[in-house]
PDB file of all heavy atoms in Angstrom:
ATOM      1  N   VAL A 254      15.521  24.967  42.914  1.00 96.00           N
ATOM      2  CA  VAL A 254      15.553  26.240  43.537  1.00 96.00           C
ATOM      3  C   VAL A 254      16.656  26.269  44.558  1.00 96.00           C
ATOM      4  O   VAL A 254      16.564  25.602  45.587  1.00 96.00           O
ATOM      5  CB  VAL A 254      14.216  26.562  44.108  1.00 96.00           C
ATOM      6  CG1 VAL A 254      14.280  27.993  44.828  1.00 96.00           C
ATOM      7  CG2 VAL A 254      13.197  26.463  43.180  1.00 96.00           C
ATOM      8  N   ASP A 255      17.819  26.994  44.212  1.00 95.00           N
ATOM      9  CA  ASP A 255      18.977  27.048  45.184  1.00 95.00           C
ATOM     10  C   ASP A 255      19.284  25.654  45.627  1.00 95.00           C
ATOM     11  O   ASP A 255      19.565  25.340  46.856  1.00 95.00           O
ATOM     12  CB  ASP A 255      18.645  27.896  46.364  1.00 95.00           C
ATOM     13  CG  ASP A 255      18.267  29.307  45.909  1.00 95.00           C
ATOM     14  OD1 ASP A 255      18.778  29.693  44.914  1.00 95.00           O
ATOM     15  OD2 ASP A 255      17.420  29.957  46.689  1.00 95.00           O
ATOM     16  N   GLY A 256      19.338  24.711  44.691  1.00 93.00           N
ATOM     17  CA  GLY A 256      19.877  23.349  45.052  1.00 93.00           C
ATOM     18  C   GLY A 256      18.785  22.391  45.581  1.00 93.00           C
ATOM     19  O   GLY A 256      19.078  21.264  45.892  1.00 93.00           O
ATOM     20  N   MET A 257      17.576  22.993  45.788  1.00 96.00           N
ATOM     21  CA  MET A 257      16.460  22.208  46.235  1.00 96.00           C
ATOM     22  C   MET A 257      15.504  21.816  45.219  1.00 96.00           C
ATOM     23  O   MET A 257      15.164  22.602  44.355  1.00 96.00           O
ATOM     24  CB  MET A 257      15.652  22.991  47.341  1.00 96.00           C
ATOM     25  CG  MET A 257      16.195  22.692  48.693  1.00 96.00           C
ATOM     26  SD  MET A 257      15.146  23.248  49.999  1.00 96.00           S
ATOM     27  CE  MET A 257      13.484  23.085  49.514  1.00 96.00           C
ATOM     28  N   LYS A 258      15.000  20.563  45.228  1.00 97.00           N
ATOM     29  CA  LYS A 258      14.040  20.135  44.152  1.00 97.00           C
ATOM     30  C   LYS A 258      12.616  20.518  44.679  1.00 97.00           C
ATOM     31  O   LYS A 258      12.302  20.116  45.813  1.00 97.00           O
ATOM     32  CB  LYS A 258      14.154  18.646  43.959  1.00 97.00           C
ATOM     33  CG  LYS A 258      15.513  18.313  43.341  1.00 97.00           C
ATOM     34  CD  LYS A 258      15.382  18.463  41.782  1.00 97.00           C
ATOM     35  CE  LYS A 258      16.639  18.156  41.186  1.00 97.00           C
ATOM     36  NZ  LYS A 258      16.925  18.974  39.961  1.00 97.00           N
ATOM     37  N   LEU A 259      11.923  21.244  43.899  1.00 98.00           N
ATOM     38  CA  LEU A 259      10.474  21.570  44.288  1.00 98.00           C
ATOM     39  C   LEU A 259       9.552  21.386  43.068  1.00 98.00           C
ATOM     40  O   LEU A 259       9.925  21.446  41.905  1.00 98.00           O
ATOM     41  CB  LEU A 259      10.456  23.038  44.712  1.00 98.00           C
ATOM     42  CG  LEU A 259      11.233  23.375  45.944  1.00 98.00           C
ATOM     43  CD1 LEU A 259      11.125  24.900  46.200  1.00 98.00           C
ATOM     44  CD2 LEU A 259      10.516  22.721  47.203  1.00 98.00           C
ATOM     45  N   PRO A 260       8.307  21.151  43.332  1.00 98.00           N
ATOM     46  CA  PRO A 260       7.321  21.021  42.234  1.00 98.00           C
ATOM     47  C   PRO A 260       7.100  22.319  41.522  1.00 98.00           C
ATOM     48  O   PRO A 260       7.177  23.418  42.150  1.00 98.00           O
ATOM     49  CB  PRO A 260       6.010  20.555  42.870  1.00 98.00           C
ATOM     50  CG  PRO A 260       6.321  20.309  44.260  1.00 98.00           C
ATOM     51  CD  PRO A 260       7.612  20.979  44.601  1.00 98.00           C
ATOM     52  N   TYR A 261       6.822  22.288  40.272  1.00 97.00           N
ATOM     53  CA  TYR A 261       6.531  23.583  39.516  1.00 97.00           C
ATOM     54  C   TYR A 261       5.148  24.013  39.966  1.00 97.00           C
ATOM     55  O   TYR A 261       4.256  23.328  40.367  1.00 97.00           O
ATOM     56  CB  TYR A 261       6.406  23.249  37.995  1.00 97.00           C
ATOM     57  CG  TYR A 261       7.849  23.169  37.356  1.00 97.00           C
ATOM     58  CD1 TYR A 261       8.442  21.855  37.292  1.00 97.00           C
ATOM     59  CD2 TYR A 261       8.446  24.213  36.683  1.00 97.00           C
ATOM     60  CE1 TYR A 261       9.615  21.766  36.618  1.00 97.00           C
ATOM     61  CE2 TYR A 261       9.631  23.965  36.058  1.00 97.00           C
ATOM     62  CZ  TYR A 261      10.233  22.731  36.065  1.00 97.00           C
ATOM     63  OH  TYR A 261      11.432  22.591  35.426  1.00 97.00           O
ATOM     64  N   GLU A 262       5.011  25.351  39.922  1.00 96.00           N
ATOM     65  CA  GLU A 262       3.828  25.986  40.244  1.00 96.00           C
ATOM     66  C   GLU A 262       2.972  26.190  39.003  1.00 96.00           C
ATOM     67  O   GLU A 262       3.512  26.302  37.851  1.00 96.00           O
ATOM     68  CB  GLU A 262       4.040  27.451  40.911  1.00 96.00           C
ATOM     69  CG  GLU A 262       4.922  27.499  42.029  1.00 96.00           C
ATOM     70  CD  GLU A 262       4.312  27.199  43.318  1.00 96.00           C
ATOM     71  OE1 GLU A 262       3.051  27.345  43.381  1.00 96.00           O
ATOM     72  OE2 GLU A 262       5.030  26.839  44.246  1.00 96.00           O
ATOM     73  N   VAL A 263       1.615  26.324  39.178  1.00 96.00           N
ATOM     74  CA  VAL A 263       0.742  26.603  37.990  1.00 96.00           C
ATOM     75  C   VAL A 263       1.249  27.887  37.257  1.00 96.00           C
ATOM     76  O   VAL A 263       1.566  28.837  37.977  1.00 96.00           O
ATOM     77  CB  VAL A 263      -0.685  26.781  38.407  1.00 96.00           C
ATOM     78  CG1 VAL A 263      -1.596  27.142  37.195  1.00 96.00           C
ATOM     79  CG2 VAL A 263      -1.195  25.423  39.037  1.00 96.00           C
ATOM     80  N   GLY A 264       1.413  27.840  35.951  1.00 93.00           N
ATOM     81  CA  GLY A 264       1.746  28.989  35.182  1.00 93.00           C
ATOM     82  C   GLY A 264       3.218  29.112  34.922  1.00 93.00           C
ATOM     83  O   GLY A 264       3.549  29.904  34.102  1.00 93.00           O
ATOM     84  N   GLU A 265       3.983  28.332  35.678  1.00 95.00           N
ATOM     85  CA  GLU A 265       5.435  28.416  35.411  1.00 95.00           C
ATOM     86  C   GLU A 265       5.699  27.597  34.075  1.00 95.00           C
ATOM     87  O   GLU A 265       4.913  26.891  33.507  1.00 95.00           O
ATOM     88  CB  GLU A 265       6.262  27.809  36.456  1.00 95.00           C
ATOM     89  CG  GLU A 265       6.262  28.725  37.784  1.00 95.00           C
ATOM     90  CD  GLU A 265       7.130  28.173  38.937  1.00 95.00           C
ATOM     91  OE1 GLU A 265       7.230  26.972  39.148  1.00 95.00           O
ATOM     92  OE2 GLU A 265       7.593  28.968  39.653  1.00 95.00           O
ATOM     93  N   ILE A 266       6.954  27.876  33.523  1.00 95.00           N
ATOM     94  CA  ILE A 266       7.333  27.239  32.354  1.00 95.00           C
ATOM     95  C   ILE A 266       8.181  26.058  32.580  1.00 95.00           C
ATOM     96  O   ILE A 266       9.215  26.200  33.289  1.00 95.00           O
ATOM     97  CB  ILE A 266       8.014  28.249  31.391  1.00 95.00           C
ATOM     98  CG1 ILE A 266       7.114  29.483  31.107  1.00 95.00           C
ATOM     99  CG2 ILE A 266       8.571  27.613  30.130  1.00 95.00           C
ATOM    100  CD1 ILE A 266       5.905  29.153  30.226  1.00 95.00           C
ATOM    101  N   PHE A 267       7.889  24.900  32.044  1.00 97.00           N
ATOM    102  CA  PHE A 267       8.608  23.673  32.211  1.00 97.00           C
ATOM    103  C   PHE A 267       9.378  23.383  30.901  1.00 97.00           C
ATOM    104  O   PHE A 267       8.845  23.206  29.841  1.00 97.00           O
ATOM    105  CB  PHE A 267       7.646  22.582  32.558  1.00 97.00           C
ATOM    106  CG  PHE A 267       8.250  21.217  32.389  1.00 97.00           C
ATOM    107  CD1 PHE A 267       9.391  20.747  33.114  1.00 97.00           C
ATOM    108  CD2 PHE A 267       7.780  20.265  31.424  1.00 97.00           C
ATOM    109  CE1 PHE A 267       9.895  19.508  32.950  1.00 97.00           C
ATOM    110  CE2 PHE A 267       8.285  18.989  31.262  1.00 97.00           C
ATOM    111  CZ  PHE A 267       9.350  18.567  32.059  1.00 97.00           C
TER     112      PHE A 267
END
Side-chain angles (χ1 to χ4, degrees):
V254 181
D255 301 330
M257 266 193 35
K258 293 277 175 213
L259 291 174
Y261 285 85
E262 308 275 338
V263 175
E265 288 185 330
I266 299 295
F267 163 63

